[in-house]
């Protein structure tokens, strides 16, 4: 597979992942699937927009660049058409690095949110009743959260999805860094004999 085709494949995969991450983050604004009376009752990590900004918006730019690499020759340079493709592949490395940073931000935020647990009403106040992820292995602790209903499975599911999808995005952008490096050195595989 040529480097341009590989980049297009990566871009095609990143777009739906970015949309799903954005949707997961939006759903986290509705703890337990319900509208809250007070925005302060929403888990703090939701407000950092890891799925919307990190794995969503910041992933769209690399994905669009990757999708356009197959046909982008940057008009060639010095009478050499492949030179423009090499520059395009080099620029894709920068966008892939932006994608890795965005996905890393979302990944770290999701890991912190899973470890900390959701914000819920314990009968006396709205607080974080769990510490250091102790609720993940001990389901009897879930009784500490009285409201919103089903907040723990809701947060666990959505933050776990964000964690997994942002990890996949980081890996895909990392692959594009290597692919972009190969494309910069070899052009679009024609000089390396990688294409049939």
């Amino acid at each position: 597979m040529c480097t341009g085709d590989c980049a297009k494949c990566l871009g095609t995969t990143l777009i739906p992942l970015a949309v799903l991450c954005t949707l997961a983050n939006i759903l986290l604004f509705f703890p337990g699937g319900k509208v809250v009376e007070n925005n302060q009752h929403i888990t703090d990590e939701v407000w950092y927009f890891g799925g919307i900004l990190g794995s969503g918006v910041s992933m769209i730019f690399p994905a669009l660049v990757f999708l356009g690499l197959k046909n982008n020759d940057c008009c060639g340079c010095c009478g050499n058409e492949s030179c423009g493709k090499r520059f395009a592949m080099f620029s894709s490395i920068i966008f892939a690095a932006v994608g890795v940073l965005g996905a890393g931000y979302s990944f770290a935020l999701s890991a912190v949110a899973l470890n900390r647990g959701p914000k819920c009403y314990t009968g006396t106040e709205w607080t974080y009743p769990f510490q250091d992820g102790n609720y993940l292995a001990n389901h009897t602790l879930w009784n500490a959260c009285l409201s919103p209903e089903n907040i723990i499975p809701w947060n666990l599911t959505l933050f776990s999805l964000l964690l997994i999808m942002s990890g996949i995005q980081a890996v895909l952008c990392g692959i594009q860094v290597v692919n972009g490096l190969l494309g910069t050195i070899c052009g679009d595989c024609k000089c390396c004999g990688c294409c049939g």
Side-chain angles (χ1 to χ4, degrees):
M1 178 184 288
C2 293
T3 55
D5 290 331
C6 180
K8 185 175 181 179
C9 180
L10 294 172
T12 304
T13 308
L14 285 173
I15 297 269
L17 285 173
V19 171
L20 289 173
C21 286
T22 302
L23 288 174
N25 199 143
I26 290 170
L27 287 173
L28 283 164
F29 282 104
F30 303 97
K34 301 204 170 64
V35 177
V36 293
E37 300 167 4
N38 186 342
N39 286 342
Q40 293 180 354
H41 298 167
I42 296 173
T43 304
D44 291 344
E45 287 79 16
V46 177
W47 292 103
Y48 297 138
F49 302 109
I52 294 173
L53 296 178
S55 288
V57 174
S58 71
M59 202 56 61
I60 295 296
F61 299 115
L64 293 176
V65 169
F66 301 166
L67 285 170
L69 283 176
K70 174 93 175 115
N71 301 323
N72 188 359
D73 70 355
C74 294
C75 304
C77 62
C78 306
N80 184 356
E81 185 179 321
S82 68
C83 175
K85 286 193 182 280
R86 289 173 195 238
F87 179 76
M89 290 306 287
F90 177 73
S91 67
S92 78
I93 297 171
I94 296 165
F95 282 96
V98 169
V100 168
L101 289 175
Y105 172 70
S106 180
F107 186 89
L109 214 57
S110 299
V112 168
L114 285 170
N115 186 51
R116 188 177 186 195
K119 188 176 201 177
C120 62
Y121 184 68
T122 59
T124 56
E125 63 180 334
W126 285 86
T127 186
Y128 295 92
F130 311 115
Q131 298 173 1
D132 300 326
N134 60 351
Y135 73 103
L136 294 170
N138 187 354
H139 291 230
T140 58
L141 294 174
W142 291 16
N143 296 330
C145 281
L146 302 177
S147 175
E149 191 178 341
N150 298 322
I151 183 65
I152 298 170
W154 184 263
N155 271 29
L156 269 176
T157 302
L158 293 171
F159 276 119
S160 294
L161 285 172
L162 279 173
L163 187 79
I164 292 165
M165 289 188 292
S166 61
I168 292 169
Q169 287 175 327
V171 168
L172 292 176
C173 287
I175 290 170
Q176 179 54 31
V177 168
V178 174
N179 184 48
L181 198 56
L182 288 172
T184 301
I185 295 168
C186 297
D188 200 26
C189 298
K190 291 183 178 106
C191 71
C192 298
C194 312
C195 295

CSV table of all heavy atoms in Angstrom, one decimal, residues 28-29 31 35-47 116 118-121 125-128 147-148:
chain,number,residue,atom,x,y,z
A,28,LEU,N,-22.3,12.8,28.3
A,28,LEU,CA,-21.8,13.0,29.7
A,28,LEU,C,-22.4,14.2,30.4
A,28,LEU,O,-22.4,14.3,31.6
A,28,LEU,CB,-20.3,13.0,29.8
A,28,LEU,CG,-19.6,11.6,29.6
A,28,LEU,CD1,-18.1,11.8,29.3
A,28,LEU,CD2,-19.8,10.8,30.9
A,29,PHE,N,-22.9,15.1,29.6
A,29,PHE,CA,-23.6,16.3,30.2
A,29,PHE,C,-24.9,16.0,30.8
A,29,PHE,O,-25.6,16.8,31.4
A,29,PHE,CB,-23.7,17.5,29.2
A,29,PHE,CG,-22.4,18.2,29.0
A,29,PHE,CD1,-21.6,18.0,27.9
A,29,PHE,CD2,-21.9,19.1,30.0
A,29,PHE,CE1,-20.4,18.7,27.7
A,29,PHE,CE2,-20.8,19.8,29.8
A,29,PHE,CZ,-20.0,19.6,28.7
A,31,PRO,N,-26.0,13.3,33.2
A,31,PRO,CA,-25.7,12.2,34.1
A,31,PRO,C,-26.9,11.2,34.2
A,31,PRO,O,-28.0,11.6,34.5
A,31,PRO,CB,-25.4,12.9,35.4
A,31,PRO,CG,-25.2,14.3,35.1
A,31,PRO,CD,-25.9,14.6,33.8
A,35,VAL,N,-31.5,15.3,32.4
A,35,VAL,CA,-31.1,16.7,32.5
A,35,VAL,C,-30.9,17.0,34.0
A,35,VAL,O,-31.8,16.7,34.8
A,35,VAL,CB,-32.1,17.6,31.8
A,35,VAL,CG1,-31.7,19.0,31.9
A,35,VAL,CG2,-32.3,17.2,30.3
A,36,VAL,N,-29.8,17.7,34.3
A,36,VAL,CA,-29.6,18.0,35.7
A,36,VAL,C,-30.2,19.4,36.0
A,36,VAL,O,-30.3,20.3,35.1
A,36,VAL,CB,-28.1,18.0,36.0
A,36,VAL,CG1,-27.5,16.7,36.0
A,36,VAL,CG2,-27.3,19.0,35.1
A,37,GLU,N,-30.5,19.6,37.3
A,37,GLU,CA,-31.1,20.9,37.7
A,37,GLU,C,-30.0,22.0,37.8
A,37,GLU,O,-30.2,23.1,37.6
A,37,GLU,CB,-31.8,20.7,39.0
A,37,GLU,CG,-32.9,19.8,39.0
A,37,GLU,CD,-33.4,19.4,40.4
A,37,GLU,OE1,-32.9,19.9,41.4
A,37,GLU,OE2,-34.3,18.5,40.5
A,38,ASN,N,-28.8,21.5,38.2
A,38,ASN,CA,-27.7,22.5,38.4
A,38,ASN,C,-26.4,21.9,37.7
A,38,ASN,O,-26.0,20.8,37.9
A,38,ASN,CB,-27.4,22.5,39.9
A,38,ASN,CG,-26.4,23.6,40.3
A,38,ASN,OD1,-25.6,24.0,39.5
A,38,ASN,ND2,-26.4,24.0,41.6
A,39,ASN,N,-25.8,22.8,36.9
A,39,ASN,CA,-24.6,22.4,36.2
A,39,ASN,C,-23.5,22.0,37.1
A,39,ASN,O,-22.5,21.3,36.6
A,39,ASN,CB,-24.2,23.5,35.2
A,39,ASN,CG,-25.1,23.6,34.0
A,39,ASN,OD1,-25.8,22.7,33.7
A,39,ASN,ND2,-25.0,24.8,33.4
A,40,GLN,N,-23.5,22.4,38.3
A,40,GLN,CA,-22.4,22.0,39.2
A,40,GLN,C,-22.5,20.6,39.7
A,40,GLN,O,-21.6,20.0,40.3
A,40,GLN,CB,-22.4,23.0,40.5
A,40,GLN,CG,-22.0,24.4,40.1
A,40,GLN,CD,-22.0,25.3,41.3
A,40,GLN,OE1,-22.4,24.9,42.4
A,40,GLN,NE2,-21.6,26.5,41.1
A,41,HIS,N,-23.6,19.9,39.3
A,41,HIS,CA,-23.8,18.5,39.6
A,41,HIS,C,-23.2,17.6,38.6
A,41,HIS,O,-23.3,16.4,38.7
A,41,HIS,CB,-25.2,18.2,39.8
A,41,HIS,CG,-25.9,18.9,41.0
A,41,HIS,ND1,-27.2,19.0,41.1
A,41,HIS,CD2,-25.3,19.6,42.0
A,41,HIS,CE1,-27.5,19.7,42.2
A,41,HIS,NE2,-26.4,20.1,42.7
A,42,ILE,N,-22.6,18.2,37.5
A,42,ILE,CA,-21.9,17.4,36.5
A,42,ILE,C,-20.5,17.2,36.9
A,42,ILE,O,-19.8,18.1,37.4
A,42,ILE,CB,-22.0,18.1,35.1
A,42,ILE,CG1,-23.5,18.2,34.7
A,42,ILE,CG2,-21.3,17.4,34.0
A,42,ILE,CD1,-23.8,19.0,33.5
A,43,THR,N,-20.0,16.0,36.6
A,43,THR,CA,-18.6,15.6,36.9
A,43,THR,C,-17.6,16.7,36.2
A,43,THR,O,-17.8,17.0,35.1
A,43,THR,CB,-18.2,14.2,36.4
A,43,THR,OG1,-19.2,13.3,37.0
A,43,THR,CG2,-16.8,13.8,36.7
A,44,ASP,N,-16.6,17.1,37.0
A,44,ASP,CA,-15.7,18.2,36.5
A,44,ASP,C,-15.0,17.8,35.2
A,44,ASP,O,-14.9,18.7,34.3
A,44,ASP,CB,-14.7,18.5,37.6
A,44,ASP,CG,-15.3,19.2,38.8
A,44,ASP,OD1,-16.4,19.7,38.7
A,44,ASP,OD2,-14.6,19.2,39.8
A,45,GLU,N,-14.6,16.6,35.0
A,45,GLU,CA,-13.8,16.2,33.8
A,45,GLU,C,-14.6,16.4,32.5
A,45,GLU,O,-14.1,16.5,31.5
A,45,GLU,CB,-13.3,14.8,33.9
A,45,GLU,CG,-12.2,14.6,34.9
A,45,GLU,CD,-12.6,14.6,36.4
A,45,GLU,OE1,-13.8,14.4,36.6
A,45,GLU,OE2,-11.7,14.7,37.2
A,46,VAL,N,-16.0,16.4,32.7
A,46,VAL,CA,-16.8,16.5,31.5
A,46,VAL,C,-16.6,17.9,30.9
A,46,VAL,O,-16.6,18.2,29.7
A,46,VAL,CB,-18.3,16.3,31.8
A,46,VAL,CG1,-19.2,16.6,30.7
A,46,VAL,CG2,-18.5,14.9,32.3
A,47,TRP,N,-16.4,18.9,31.8
A,47,TRP,CA,-16.3,20.3,31.4
A,47,TRP,C,-15.0,20.6,30.8
A,47,TRP,O,-14.8,21.7,30.2
A,47,TRP,CB,-16.5,21.2,32.6
A,47,TRP,CG,-17.9,21.2,33.1
A,47,TRP,CD1,-18.4,20.5,34.2
A,47,TRP,CD2,-19.0,21.8,32.6
A,47,TRP,NE1,-19.7,20.7,34.4
A,47,TRP,CE2,-20.2,21.5,33.3
A,47,TRP,CE3,-19.2,22.7,31.4
A,47,TRP,CZ2,-21.4,22.0,33.0
A,47,TRP,CZ3,-20.5,23.1,31.1
A,47,TRP,CH2,-21.6,22.8,31.9
A,116,ARG,N,-11.3,8.7,39.4
A,116,ARG,CA,-11.9,9.6,40.4
A,116,ARG,C,-13.4,9.2,40.7
A,116,ARG,O,-13.9,9.3,41.8
A,116,ARG,CB,-11.9,11.0,39.9
A,116,ARG,CG,-12.3,12.0,40.9
A,116,ARG,CD,-12.1,13.4,40.3
A,116,ARG,NE,-12.4,14.4,41.3
A,116,ARG,CZ,-12.6,15.7,41.0
A,116,ARG,NH1,-12.5,16.1,39.8
A,116,ARG,NH2,-12.8,16.6,41.9
A,118,PRO,N,-17.7,9.4,39.5
A,118,PRO,CA,-18.6,10.4,39.2
A,118,PRO,C,-18.9,11.3,40.4
A,118,PRO,O,-18.8,10.9,41.5
A,118,PRO,CB,-19.8,9.7,38.7
A,118,PRO,CG,-19.8,8.4,39.4
A,118,PRO,CD,-18.3,8.1,39.6
A,119,LYS,N,-19.4,12.5,40.1
A,119,LYS,CA,-19.9,13.4,41.2
A,119,LYS,C,-21.4,13.0,41.4
A,119,LYS,O,-22.1,12.9,40.4
A,119,LYS,CB,-19.8,14.8,40.7
A,119,LYS,CG,-20.1,15.8,41.7
A,119,LYS,CD,-19.9,17.2,41.2
A,119,LYS,CE,-19.7,18.2,42.3
A,119,LYS,NZ,-19.4,19.6,41.7
A,120,CYS,N,-21.8,12.8,42.6
A,120,CYS,CA,-23.1,12.4,42.9
A,120,CYS,C,-23.6,12.8,44.2
A,120,CYS,O,-22.8,13.3,45.0
A,120,CYS,CB,-23.3,10.8,42.7
A,120,CYS,SG,-22.3,9.9,43.9
A,121,TYR,N,-24.9,12.7,44.5
A,121,TYR,CA,-25.5,13.1,45.7
A,121,TYR,C,-25.4,11.9,46.7
A,121,TYR,O,-25.9,10.8,46.4
A,121,TYR,CB,-26.9,13.5,45.5
A,121,TYR,CG,-27.6,14.0,46.8
A,121,TYR,CD1,-27.2,15.2,47.4
A,121,TYR,CD2,-28.7,13.3,47.4
A,121,TYR,CE1,-27.8,15.7,48.5
A,121,TYR,CE2,-29.3,13.8,48.5
A,121,TYR,CZ,-28.8,15.0,49.1
A,121,TYR,OH,-29.4,15.4,50.2
A,125,GLU,N,-24.6,15.7,50.5
A,125,GLU,CA,-24.0,16.7,49.6
A,125,GLU,C,-23.7,16.1,48.3
A,125,GLU,O,-23.6,14.9,48.1
A,125,GLU,CB,-22.8,17.3,50.3
A,125,GLU,CG,-21.7,16.3,50.5
A,125,GLU,CD,-20.4,16.9,51.1
A,125,GLU,OE1,-20.2,18.1,50.9
A,125,GLU,OE2,-19.7,16.1,51.7
A,126,TRP,N,-23.4,17.0,47.3
A,126,TRP,CA,-22.9,16.5,46.0
A,126,TRP,C,-21.4,16.5,46.1
A,126,TRP,O,-20.8,17.5,46.3
A,126,TRP,CB,-23.4,17.5,44.9
A,126,TRP,CG,-24.8,17.4,44.6
A,126,TRP,CD1,-25.9,17.9,45.2
A,126,TRP,CD2,-25.3,16.5,43.5
A,126,TRP,NE1,-27.0,17.5,44.6
A,126,TRP,CE2,-26.7,16.7,43.6
A,126,TRP,CE3,-24.8,15.7,42.6
A,126,TRP,CZ2,-27.6,16.0,42.7
A,126,TRP,CZ3,-25.6,15.0,41.7
A,126,TRP,CH2,-27.0,15.2,41.7
A,127,THR,N,-20.8,15.3,45.9
A,127,THR,CA,-19.4,15.2,46.1
A,127,THR,C,-18.9,14.0,45.3
A,127,THR,O,-19.7,13.3,44.6
A,127,THR,CB,-19.1,15.0,47.6
A,127,THR,OG1,-17.7,14.9,47.7
A,127,THR,CG2,-19.7,13.7,48.1
A,128,TYR,N,-17.6,13.7,45.4
A,128,TYR,CA,-17.0,12.6,44.8
A,128,TYR,C,-16.7,11.6,45.9
A,128,TYR,O,-15.7,11.7,46.6
A,128,TYR,CB,-15.6,13.0,44.1
A,128,TYR,CG,-15.8,13.9,42.9
A,128,TYR,CD1,-15.8,15.3,43.1
A,128,TYR,CD2,-16.0,13.4,41.7
A,128,TYR,CE1,-16.0,16.1,42.0
A,128,TYR,CE2,-16.2,14.3,40.6
A,128,TYR,CZ,-16.2,15.6,40.8
A,128,TYR,OH,-16.4,16.5,39.7
A,147,SER,N,-28.1,9.8,43.9
A,147,SER,CA,-28.6,10.5,42.7
A,147,SER,C,-27.5,11.1,41.9
A,147,SER,O,-26.5,11.5,42.5
A,147,SER,CB,-29.6,11.6,43.2
A,147,SER,OG,-30.0,12.4,42.2
A,148,PRO,N,-27.6,11.2,40.6
A,148,PRO,CA,-28.6,10.8,39.7
A,148,PRO,C,-28.6,9.2,39.6
A,148,PRO,O,-27.5,8.6,39.8
A,148,PRO,CB,-28.2,11.4,38.4
A,148,PRO,CG,-27.0,12.2,38.6
A,148,PRO,CD,-26.5,12.0,40.0
